[in-house]
């Protein structure tokens, strides 16, 4: 059984064992030999390296001392672009102006994303940045092009949205997925690609800019969270 998301588990095999070996119980000497073999196979230094890099997520804001504040951030619109394509869309069509300023960053460490342990708001290796509209500081953008592991998604949401007030907050999520994953009765070869689909909650009363996503299509990972 896997002890954490992403762990490779080797299935046990009893090939080559005869009935007498299967029936033989493990003796104290056998257990001692097995422990010594495990020490050689998994030395203490290797285990220490694994524990050295925590899977904690830290959110740092520019106007907060030490990355923390007592009062929640006043925010009316929060747009989150998740994935490289969505983040590139923000960079090309929205952030390519002097109207935005970097105000925050997310630090995380997992199998595919490793940011430094710096306490600066803008580390050079960051892949998850927050921008604020200069003309209206209540409008925030989040450009998240890094991978957020399954066991980190709730922590990401808890720490990011824990810094904001929830009243009158409208959240828009931008994400992408392969056309091959789109479930439809017609052939995906005839679909005009790329195309837009939307999901919305019942609290969202504004008009959506594209058709709604049909069943049985779903959203996965951090956008779903």
């Amino acid at each position: 059984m896997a002890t954490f998301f992403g762990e490779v588990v080797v299935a046990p095999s009893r090939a080559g064992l005869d009935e007498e070996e299967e029936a033989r119980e493990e003796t104290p000497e056998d257990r001692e030999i097995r422990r010594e073999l495990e020490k050689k196979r998994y030395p203490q230094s290797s285990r220490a390296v694994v524990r050295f890099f925590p899977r904690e997520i830290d959110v740092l804001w520019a106007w907060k001392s030490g990355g923390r504040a007592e009062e929640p951030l006043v925010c009316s619109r929060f747009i989150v672009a998740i994935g490289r394509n969505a983040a590139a869309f923000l960079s090309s069509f929205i952030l390519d102006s002097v109207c935005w300023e970097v105000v925050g960053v997310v630090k995380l460490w997992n199998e595919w994303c490793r940011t430094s342990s710096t306490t600066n708001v803008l580390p050079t290796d960051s892949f998850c940045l927050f921008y604020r509209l200069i003309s209206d500081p209540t409008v925030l953008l989040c450009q998240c092009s890094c991978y957020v592991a399954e066991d980190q998604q709730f922590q990401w949401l808890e720490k990011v949205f824990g810094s904001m007030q929830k009243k009158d907050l409208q959240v828009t999520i931008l994400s992408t997925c392969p056309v091959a994953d789109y479930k439809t009765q017609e052939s995906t070869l005839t679909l005009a690609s790329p195309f837009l689909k939307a999901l919305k909650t019942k609290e969202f009363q504004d008009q959506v800019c594209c058709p709604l996503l049909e069943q049985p299509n779903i959203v996965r990972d951090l956008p779903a969270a």
Side-chain angles (χ1 to χ4, degrees):
M1 177 183 243
T3 57
F4 62 90
F5 179 70
E7 179 182 8
V8 178
V9 180
V10 180
S13 175
R14 304 189 66 84
L17 298 179
D18 54 27
E19 296 180 357
E20 292 182 359
E21 290 177 327
E22 292 180 358
R24 186 170 64 88
E25 296 183 358
E26 188 179 46
T27 64
E29 291 80 7
D30 293 334
R31 287 193 292 271
E32 182 64 26
I33 294 174
R34 179 169 52 82
R35 283 194 293 266
E36 292 298 327
L37 289 175
E38 289 178 352
K39 289 180 181 179
K40 293 181 180 180
R41 189 175 302 167
Y42 308 107
Q44 184 66 27
S45 59
S46 298
R47 292 198 296 272
V49 171
V50 173
R51 291 195 300 266
F52 180 75
F53 305 110
R55 298 172 71 88
E56 289 290 324
I57 291 179
D58 292 322
V59 180
L60 302 178
W61 299 100
W63 59 85
K64 298 181 180 182
S65 177
R68 301 181 181 275
E70 297 179 357
E71 296 184 358
L73 172 66
V74 178
C75 183
S76 61
R77 297 291 186 272
F78 185 38
I79 302 175
V80 186
I82 301 176
R84 296 184 179 276
N85 292 333
F89 175 81
L90 282 188
S91 297
S92 300
F93 296 99
I94 299 180
L95 295 174
D96 190 18
S97 65
V98 295
C99 300
W100 302 87
E101 60 177 347
V102 178
V103 294
V105 65
V106 174
K107 298 192 308 176
L108 56 94
W109 187 288
N110 55 47
E111 297 87 342
W112 301 103
C113 180
R114 300 180 178 182
T115 57
S116 63
S117 59
T118 179
T119 57
N120 295 329
V121 173
L122 186 56
T124 57
D125 58 350
S126 176
F127 299 95
C128 189
L129 297 174
F130 297 95
Y131 298 85
R132 180 170 59 182
L133 185 61
I134 298 178
S135 60
D136 185 358
T138 65
V139 178
L140 291 181
L141 295 181
C142 177
Q143 193 178 33
C144 183
S145 60
C146 62
Y147 169 74
V148 181
E150 187 177 72
D151 62 333
Q152 295 177 317
Q153 293 172 9
F154 176 77
Q155 187 182 168
W156 193 97
L157 294 171
E158 187 179 42
K159 293 192 175 182
V160 170
F161 286 95
S163 305
M164 305 178 185
Q165 68 171 18
K166 308 301 188 298
K167 185 179 180 180
D168 298 328
L169 173 61
Q170 184 182 96
V171 181
T172 303
I173 309 295
L174 305 177
S175 65
T176 60
C177 68
V179 178
D181 294 342
Y182 180 65
K183 297 176 177 60
T184 178
Q185 293 182 349
E186 60 180 302
S187 174
T188 55
L189 298 176
T190 61
L191 294 175
S193 180
F195 57 90
L196 290 175
K197 296 288 182 177
L199 288 175
K200 68 182 186 70
T201 62
K202 62 181 180 180
E203 288 80 10
F204 186 84
Q205 301 299 328
D206 296 346
Q207 184 178 0
V208 295
C209 61
C210 58
L212 296 179
L213 185 66
E214 308 91 342
Q215 294 182 351
N217 294 283
I218 62 174
V219 178
R220 298 181 175 87
D221 302 324
L222 186 59

